[in-house]
Amino acid sequence: MGNCLKCFQSSSEQTSAPGTIGSSTAPTCQNTSLESRYGGVSSTSHERNIYIDIPRDELLSPRSPLKNANNCDNKRSSFKKPVVMLNGNANAMGDIKTTVKESLEVSDNTLNQLFEKYKDPEEDMILSEGIERLCRDLDYLPDEFAILVLAWCLDASQMCRFTKVEFIEGLHKMRADTIETIHIRLEQTIEMLKVDAEMFKQLYRFTFRFGLEPDQRILSLDMAISLWKLVFTVFTPDLLSNWIHFLEQHPSIRGIPKDTWNMFLNFSEQCDIYNYDDTEAWPSLFDDFVDYEKSRLETIKEQQTTHDDDNNNDEQQSHQKIIAGIETS
């Protein structure tokens, strides 16, 4: 993405509606001051889901970013996942199985031709314009979650850029050498991300690195907010809108470091503002967020109480006027 936000930045609207938070205890993490840590930074087509058995390790090669982090699952496990036909056209189940089987044997020549189709005329890599054309051919918008997943599968080192090595090796790992099979693999991967917490964690951590400007170690706040909205597409934590609202109300928080980004996933899964323990080693920004939320909710409660009292007083006055009118008559 770098300075080219249009390629990957989420276009979802910013929200500030309050939400509730899950509960549990907090893990440990280094605590630092808010000022020192955050002070600054230098196919829309109709689809039909058809389920077939595909061994998981046929989709994921040993070096793939989709591989389980612990690398200890050496068993072949088959499971049902949807294969999406781009136009909803499939003459028979046999045709689909044949297509998937053949797609496992990727062609170097085809991959090179595919790269040449999208590469920049001046650079030996796919840049913004080529990525936009690739997105159109895949029937996705550049800011869709699937394109973030594609960047992760290719292990892309920078936004708005796929190097030749990233593109060729990444598609080899995905076992895809055509637009149709890339689309199928992305849809399968998205389905797995919905149910595999460890896989989602790997994508989540990749997203921080992917969003960094070259030679930077802190994610700008605007970029962090955009990427939080994007990466949580498959499921949205209850507190996400409150968290984003808090960040937007505090412009002095100009950057998000890696530690805070990574810990937010744990925080969103485990914490409730009413049982949050500020003695635990969470990043101090979470302490500030919880204090802000408690104060905000208390203010809302007081305003509601005042509103109810005013309504009661109005009702009593109206009732008294009615009685006074009856007595006068």
Side-chain angles (χ1 to χ4, degrees), residues 178-216:
T178 67
I179 290 297
E180 290 76 12
T181 51
I182 294 172
H183 188 104
I184 288 171
R185 294 294 181 262
L186 290 176
E187 291 298 314
Q188 291 170 337
T189 304
I190 290 170
E191 289 302 311
M192 286 188 277
L193 285 164
K194 294 177 181 179
V195 297
D196 191 325
E198 180 59 32
M199 180 183 287
F200 180 80
K201 182 178 180 181
Q202 293 177 49
L203 169 64
Y204 180 83
R205 293 195 169 190
F206 162 83
T207 302
F208 177 86
R209 173 175 65 81
F210 186 59
L212 288 174
E213 295 280 357
D215 301 322
Q216 295 294 324

Side-chain angles (χ1 to χ4, degrees), residues 225-325:
I225 289 174
S226 295
L227 291 178
W228 264 316
K229 291 178 179 179
L230 182 60
V231 75
F232 283 120
T233 296
V234 290
F235 69 91
T236 304
D238 292 334
L239 61 76
L240 182 62
S241 61
N242 301 59
W243 171 250
I244 291 175
H245 175 74
F246 163 74
L247 295 175
E248 292 172 340
Q249 296 302 310
H250 293 78
S252 61
I253 307 170
R254 294 181 296 181
I256 300 296
K258 181 178 179 180
D259 178 66
T260 300
W261 175 274
N262 289 342
M263 291 295 289
F264 180 75
L265 182 60
N266 297 18
F267 178 74
S268 67
E269 294 172 344
Q270 299 176 10
C271 289
D272 186 289
I273 61 172
Y274 293 112
N275 64 11
Y276 175 81
D277 187 354
D278 59 9
T279 64
E280 295 283 350
W282 291 106
S284 61
L285 187 59
F286 297 167
D287 297 343
D288 297 326
F289 168 65
V290 170
D291 291 341
Y292 176 84
E293 278 297 287
K294 286 181 178 179
S295 176
R296 185 182 68 84
L297 293 176
E298 186 63 31
T299 299
I300 292 175
K301 183 178 179 181
E302 291 175 355
Q303 291 174 345
Q304 184 62 45
T305 300
T306 301
H307 178 71
D308 291 342
D309 290 342
D310 291 342
N311 286 340
N312 290 335
N313 290 335
D314 291 342
E315 290 177 0
Q316 291 176 0
Q317 291 176 4
S318 297
H319 185 65
Q320 291 173 355
K321 288 180 181 179
I322 293 172
I323 293 177

Side-chain angles (χ1 to χ4, degrees), residues 114-127:
L114 199 60
F115 175 78
E116 291 295 325
K117 178 180 179 180
Y118 298 106
K119 72 178 288 292
D120 186 80
E122 306 296 331
E123 302 279 349
D124 195 30
M125 59 183 66
I126 301 174
L127 300 179

Side-chain angles (χ1 to χ4, degrees), residues 166-184:
E166 290 169 351
F167 190 79
I168 301 292
E169 291 190 358
L171 292 184
H172 258 298
K173 295 170 187 177
M174 293 175 68
R175 300 294 188 265
D177 59 5
T178 67
I179 290 297
E180 290 76 12
T181 51
I182 294 172
H183 188 104
I184 288 171

